[in-house]
Amino acid sequence: MPYHVFENLSQRQASLTRAARLDGGIGLAQWRNDDDRIALEQPGHHTLSLYVADGYESYRRTPGGWRNGGAPDRFCLMPARHDSLWDIRGPLEFAHLYFTDDHLKGLAERVWDREASGLLLDEQTFAEDPRIASLYRHWLLALDWREPADRLALDSAITLLLVHLLDGYGQRHRPPPRPRGGLAPYRLGQIRDYIEAHLDRPLPLAELAARVQLSEYHFARMFKRSQGLTPHQYVLQRRLARAEALLRDTALPLAEIALACGFSSSSHLASRFRQARGLAPSQLRQASSRAR
């Protein structure tokens, strides 16, 4: 993961909990740190940092002296080419999203259909934003970054997060237009058929949006308007429906059913199945066998 902030932390006291490199090169990392001083000099990328736990003794040097204000759900937005010096004097758990000017420009051009040179982000330190905290907590931190079946939800959350940054902390932009309606019925049918035919593999948001020649942002909003579910909610619903049918009607091993439905393992399928259906796959199969 060739990101300056990631490499710097890797050489300090920080302990890496997990990391992932997503489609397009966007980086995610979750860290723990304590009793450390970190100097970031002119990084070539942007970093959005959310304090997950603790952080009360995190300090940043400012022209007026050392300043603190860290706490769970506070965030720091560190734009590219900005220097910063941090003194971590107590325990801190935090998550980082690493992205570049090219990621922002590409997103702005897809979402707002305009040339996007000269985009700037406003630096933020120990700030509060319920939208950022919610997207981190309920999506980025809750998902399994290695699980292909969770990739669509992860891509969707990151797209929403970056659009929110551009809308709330960016310069030289215009608000995104609100789609007036959903997908045309034949387009919606195309997408549903495509999803049904490819449930056995990852279905990233960019791939689905490209099928109907829309930006990821517009596609996600218009799909939900038409279907009543976000793309990742709909895909998960269809994966579970197929798994349920295979459990009822076949004797396939659970591991084979999991792979046929886009889950990486039987344990991942079982976890999602319990959450959605309130019982384990084996219990459903036993009940179906008794009913025959």
Side-chain angles (χ1 to χ4, degrees), residues 43-106:
H45 62 87
H46 311 288
T47 302
L48 177 64
S49 175
L50 184 84
Y51 283 31
V52 177
D54 299 311
Y56 303 103
E57 292 299 317
S58 299
Y59 291 78
R60 180 177 182 179
R61 191 167 69 182
T62 71
W66 288 98
R67 174 194 168 196
N68 84 327
D73 290 341
R74 299 279 174 86
F75 79 95
C76 299
L77 178 57
M78 297 172 279
R81 296 169 292 280
H82 283 222
D83 291 337
S84 58
L85 180 62
W86 305 82
D87 193 5
I88 310 302
R89 305 175 191 176
L92 167 63
E93 182 177 351
F94 57 101
H96 274 175
L97 179 67
Y98 308 116
F99 53 99
T100 66
D101 281 338
D102 286 342
H103 292 131
L104 288 180
K105 290 175 183 176

Side-chain angles (χ1 to χ4, degrees), residues 51 133 148 170 175 201 231 246 252 265:
Y51 283 31
R201 62 178 183 78
L246 291 173
L252 286 173
S265 66

Side-chain angles (χ1 to χ4, degrees), residues 1-285:
M1 184 179 293
Y3 284 105
H4 172 81
V5 174
F6 182 92
E7 297 298 334
N8 188 301
L9 287 170
S10 298
Q11 297 167 14
R12 308 297 301 173
Q13 298 279 94
S15 173
L16 182 65
T17 303
R18 56 176 174 162
R21 187 177 181 86
L22 307 179
D23 294 339
I26 288 175
L28 272 173
Q30 193 166 345
W31 302 89
R32 297 178 187 273
N33 205 358
D34 194 356
D35 190 22
D36 200 4
R37 183 170 287 201
I38 300 159
L40 302 175
E41 299 178 358
Q42 298 285 306
H45 62 87
H46 311 288
T47 302
L48 177 64
S49 175
L50 184 84
Y51 283 31
V52 177
D54 299 311
Y56 303 103
E57 292 299 317
S58 299
Y59 291 78
R60 180 177 182 179
R61 191 167 69 182
T62 71
W66 288 98
R67 174 194 168 196
N68 84 327
D73 290 341
R74 299 279 174 86
F75 79 95
C76 299
L77 178 57
M78 297 172 279
R81 296 169 292 280
H82 283 222
D83 291 337
S84 58
L85 180 62
W86 305 82
D87 193 5
I88 310 302
R89 305 175 191 176
L92 167 63
E93 182 177 351
F94 57 101
H96 274 175
L97 179 67
Y98 308 116
F99 53 99
T100 66
D101 281 338
D102 286 342
H103 292 131
L104 288 180
K105 290 175 183 176
L107 181 65
E109 288 165 359
R110 294 194 305 272
V111 171
W112 297 319
D113 300 319
R114 62 172 295 179
E115 193 275 329
S117 62
L119 277 171
L120 300 173
L121 289 177
D122 297 326
E123 189 173 64
Q124 302 289 323
T125 304
F126 307 132
E128 295 183 82
D129 187 319
R131 179 66 167 164
I132 291 174
S134 176
L135 286 168
Y136 261 100
R137 292 280 183 187
H138 297 149
W139 297 111
L140 300 191
L141 299 181
L143 293 167
D144 185 341
W145 298 351
R146 298 170 299 176
E147 173 55 54
D150 284 350
R151 185 52 62 93
L152 177 58
L154 199 58
D155 289 342
S156 299
I158 288 173
T159 296
L160 290 174
L161 196 49
L162 293 183
V163 167
H164 180 71
L165 291 182
L166 284 171
D167 193 34
Y169 304 96
Q171 301 174 26
R172 299 189 188 181
H173 71 280
R174 65 184 181 189
R178 293 183 177 272
R180 294 181 180 177
L183 294 170
Y186 80 97
R187 289 292 196 192
L188 183 62
Q190 283 182 328
I191 287 295
R192 289 192 301 211
D193 290 345
Y194 185 80
I195 289 170
E196 209 68 28
H198 297 87
L199 286 174
D200 60 335
R201 62 178 183 78
L203 288 167
L205 186 64
E207 181 179 326
L208 297 180
R211 301 292 302 179
V212 290
Q213 300 178 323
L214 288 171
S215 73
E216 296 167 32
Y217 179 79
H218 283 157
F219 169 74
R221 293 185 61 156
M222 294 173 75
F223 185 92
K224 184 175 182 181
R225 190 175 290 256
S226 297
Q227 191 64 43
L229 298 169
T230 64
H232 72 265
Q233 287 171 335
Y234 179 79
V235 169
L236 178 59
Q237 182 187 79
R238 298 310 306 152
R239 293 190 199 280
L240 292 172
R242 176 170 293 181
E244 182 171 342
L246 291 173
L247 286 165
R248 292 182 185 277
D249 301 333
T250 76
L252 286 173
L254 188 58
E256 290 186 28
I257 292 176
L259 293 177
C261 299
F263 298 97
S264 63
S265 66
S266 56
S267 61
H268 187 245
L269 167 59
S271 173
R272 295 292 188 183
F273 202 88
R274 284 194 200 94
Q275 290 174 4
R277 302 292 194 264
L279 75 168
S282 58
Q283 292 173 307
L284 175 67
R285 174 162 273 175

